[in-house]
Amino acid sequence: MAHDFPLFGDFSDSSAGGSDELSREAVLAAVEARLLSTFGEPTGRAGVTFLGADRIEVLRFGPDADGLVRYATLGMAAAPMTDPGAMVADPVRGPRVELVLTVRGGRDDVLRTLATFAATPQVEGLIVAPGASLDLGQPLWPGAPFTSVLTAEPGGLVPDLDLADPADPVRFLPLLPMTPNEAAFKRVQGAEALQERWLRHGTDLRDPQRRGVSLDG
């Protein structure tokens, strides 16, 4: 229940409207329904509004039987992301995503970080896709050894959500926290090389205090 999540509430800096199948309200209702059908009822939620951007919510699910807590954004997929080089933004066609972070034991202070990442397409005009890096420039939460995340391939955790034609489906991108050294390695060697290192070393990417993977050799 939301009252069990005292950090969560409305942290707005500064809200939005429609009614057909591809309106903001309809798309976000469908996104929330997909999240609930996957993870169950949320154990907390909050909203953040950044200047010049629509409201982003973050839902918390869990902990589950394994102690895993999942944080999912809600609001990023309300409109398609637009190529910053496009002359005119298409209000219907284009990639739509939401972000999902899994942390063992939970770290509720990650709320604003996730909302910041989710607002990036609106604020900075960027397209967030698998293999991209999102860099906060500071710890993802107080005391975290990570300052950025790698966006992983969708479909494994939350199935894609089809929308009415001609809109693209909503894809749910897992976020994989990276230490500064891992982020630097990824910039040079690429996302696949970093993920191969994690796999080779059996890295638990859900551990909120894990050490950086060995990048030598």
Side-chain angles (χ1 to χ4, degrees):
M1 306 291 289
H3 62 268
D4 294 326
F5 203 172
L7 170 66
F8 272 20
D10 191 338
F11 292 81
S12 300
D13 294 330
S14 66
S15 206
S19 64
D20 61 37
E21 286 183 278
L22 293 177
S23 69
R24 175 181 175 83
E25 290 79 4
V27 170
L28 296 188
V31 170
E32 183 167 359
R34 174 56 54 89
L35 290 170
L36 269 60
S37 68
T38 302
F39 299 130
E41 287 296 321
T43 54
R45 66 190 302 154
V48 179
T49 305
F50 298 98
L51 185 63
D54 290 327
R55 178 183 177 88
I56 300 291
E57 288 193 289
V58 180
L59 278 60
R60 183 187 70 182
F61 300 91
D64 63 13
D66 296 319
L68 299 178
V69 177
R70 305 188 195 279
Y71 301 93
T73 64
L74 178 63
M76 191 175 181
M81 294 180 286
T82 302
D83 185 332
M87 296 293 291
V88 179
D90 191 320
V92 176
R93 297 175 179 83
R96 298 176 188 248
V97 303
E98 296 288 357
L99 309 175
V100 182
L101 175 69
T102 302
V103 182
R104 179 168 286 104
R107 287 295 187 275
D108 291 351
D109 287 339
V110 79
L111 156 69
R112 183 170 281 274
T113 295
L114 292 181
T116 300
F117 288 157
T120 298
Q122 295 184 65
V123 176
E124 299 184 23
L126 300 179
I127 292 181
V128 177
S133 300
L134 297 173
D135 194 338
L136 190 64
Q138 61 187 43
L140 299 185
W141 58 81
F146 320 107
T147 58
S148 61
V149 294
L150 173 67
T151 56
E153 293 290 336
L157 191 59
V158 184
D160 293 351
L161 172 66
D162 290 330
L163 300 177
D165 288 335
D168 291 17
V170 178
R171 294 188 164 92
F172 300 84
L173 305 183
L175 299 182
L176 309 178
M178 296 186 291
T179 65
N181 284 344
E182 291 171 342
F185 179 88
K186 184 263 177 184
R187 284 193 295 273
V188 176
Q189 302 293 336
E192 286 189 18
L194 177 58
Q195 290 177 297
E196 189 278 332
R197 291 294 178 110
W198 283 335
L199 185 61
R200 187 197 313 169
H201 290 273
T203 306
D204 183 0
L205 298 172
R206 302 164 300 184
D207 180 354
Q209 292 297 331
R210 72 171 179 84
R211 304 172 73 95
V213 72
S214 174
L215 301 173
D216 297 327

